[in-house]
Amino acid sequence: MDTFALVVTIAVALFFTYTNGFHDSANAIATSVSTRALTPRAALAMAAVMNLAGAFLGSGVAKTVSEGLIATPTGDQGMMILFAGLVGAITWNMVTWYYGLPSSSSHALFGGLVGAALAGASTVHWDGVLEKVVIPMVLSPIVGLVLGYFVMVVILWIFRDANPHKAKRGFRIAQTVSAAGMALGHGLQDAQKTMGVVVMALVIGGVEDEGDAIPVWVKISCAAMLSLGTYAGGWRIMRTLGRRIIELDPPQGFAAETTAAGVMYTASFMFQAPISTTHVITSAIMGVGATKRVSAVRWGVAKNIILGWFITMPAAAGVAALSYWIVNLAFG
């Protein structure tokens, strides 16, 4: 039964990674597709490959998820907590995907873990949640907004005398590089989050010891599922990011992607903070769009997206807590 529970929990974690891939694929490629720098299928294929590569670039974010948010629970109850946390995250991912809202898969996962831990009377590291989740959740969109604005201002100043048609053609080419960098950062961030959950399951199941290196098969499995999910596409969310917030042109798309990728690499390598790729690219698009004129950004759509950010963690936590009680009632 213990082995069966471990296998089921890992399978659910990998399915979460798949939903993360199709939910968040838009993060990396929506701007490139909307500016016609890349065709949708080419963009998805490129994003899938770069997600796979990004998953192998580090392990700091995985360590934060597996050890820094909740105390690793033990025994059958521990496996139920992990299972319920993943169910909460997957449910919220599916709801927001259906309505085309670019909410954060990362914060759905964190909310799910915390909600299930509370329902199961397990310890939550509130200092870790505050330092590694809440503060980056607030700061990263602000940084993305401000940096996106200034990066776009610099681009406008440098190319102020350039031929508009030639400049746009050049930025379409440049966008293939910035989109690849964005997808690499997405793999670096989001594949590691699931690695952290799988490692926690292995520790609970007695297969690994806490603090051990992440097994290679875990890295490959998580990276592959994220890439498969990415290639499946997330057309609803892509439309929201690429068109509904603001109509982007190639220089704006390049500025937004470059800004978001820079913020993700900094958070991963310097702070080992699991930030939301959704938050960063959305805020960067808003900042870039505001350089044209503030009214060019459709702030009504932006407001709905931001509202979704704030309800993601508590909503996923609520579903996870309910899932834990149901599973505990059935198998406890």
Side-chain angles (χ1 to χ4, degrees):
M1 184 62 188
D2 290 344
T3 303
F4 177 74
L6 175 62
V7 170
V8 168
T9 303
I10 291 175
V12 173
L14 293 176
F15 179 68
F16 166 77
T17 310
Y18 180 82
T19 68
N20 189 344
F22 74 68
H23 191 277
D24 288 1
S25 60
N27 296 341
I29 61 177
T31 53
S32 296
V33 172
S34 69
T35 61
R36 296 180 178 81
L38 293 168
T39 64
R41 283 296 167 199
L44 283 168
M46 179 273 295
V49 171
M50 297 307 287
N51 272 335
L52 191 67
F56 291 90
L57 289 182
S59 59
V61 171
K63 185 178 176 65
T64 295
V65 172
S66 63
E67 301 174 18
L69 304 181
I70 66 173
T72 303
T74 56
D76 292 340
Q77 185 198 27
M79 206 63 79
M80 282 192 287
I81 287 172
L82 212 54
F83 175 84
L86 288 164
V87 169
I90 290 169
T91 301
W92 187 248
N93 266 1
M94 298 303 287
V95 169
T96 51
W97 168 80
Y98 180 80
Y99 288 104
L101 289 175
S103 72
S104 168
S105 294
S106 305
H107 292 107
L109 177 61
F110 305 149
L113 291 175
V114 170
L118 290 173
S122 187
T123 302
V124 176
H125 297 315
W126 291 111
D127 55 339
V129 172
L130 177 66
E131 181 184 338
K132 296 294 187 180
V133 177
V134 176
I135 291 176
M137 181 178 74
V138 174
L139 286 182
S140 59
I142 295 172
V143 172
L145 182 77
V146 173
L147 273 184
Y149 181 87
F150 282 109
V151 167
M152 192 63 216
V153 166
V154 170
I155 288 174
L156 289 170
W157 185 81
I158 292 173
F159 292 92
R160 63 191 184 281
D161 297 324
N163 180 289
H165 296 295
K166 286 184 178 179
K168 284 187 178 182
R169 191 161 55 246
F171 274 107
R172 277 201 178 91
I173 297 169
Q175 264 199 280
T176 60
V177 177
S178 60
M182 181 74 194
L184 191 73
H186 181 239
L188 174 66
Q189 276 281 334
D190 285 30
Q192 283 194 49
K193 290 160 191 168
T194 309
M195 288 179 204
V197 175
V198 173
V199 166
M200 198 184 297
L202 293 173
V203 171
I204 293 169
V207 178
E208 293 279 328
D209 293 323
E210 197 161 1
D212 284 355
I214 301 171
V216 174
W217 70 266
V218 173
K219 291 186 177 184
I220 293 172
S221 301
C222 292
M225 289 303 289
L226 185 69
S227 292
L228 284 173
T230 297
Y231 193 69
W235 307 108
R236 292 170 183 265
I237 294 169
M238 198 184 301
R239 190 166 57 249
T240 299
L241 279 177
R243 294 287 182 186
R244 288 180 61 203
I245 295 175
I246 185 173
E247 296 284 341
L248 294 170
D249 60 25
Q252 290 173 325
F254 173 81
E257 288 169 344
T258 302
T259 298
V263 173
M264 283 193 292
Y265 294 141
T266 302
S268 298
F269 292 122
M270 290 186 64
F271 303 107
Q272 298 181 348
I275 65 169
S276 167
T277 52
T278 309
H279 290 189
V280 176
I281 186 61
T282 307
S283 58
I285 289 171
M286 292 178 196
V288 165
T291 58
K292 185 181 289 183
R293 62 182 187 280
V294 175
S295 61
V297 179
R298 298 184 180 106
W299 296 106
V301 175
K303 182 186 72 175
N304 291 337
I305 291 170
I306 293 168
L307 184 63
W309 295 353
F310 283 104
I311 65 173
T312 289
M313 283 189 69
V319 175
L322 181 63
S323 301
Y324 174 81
W325 290 322
I326 291 170
V327 173
N328 191 42
L329 196 64
F331 300 104

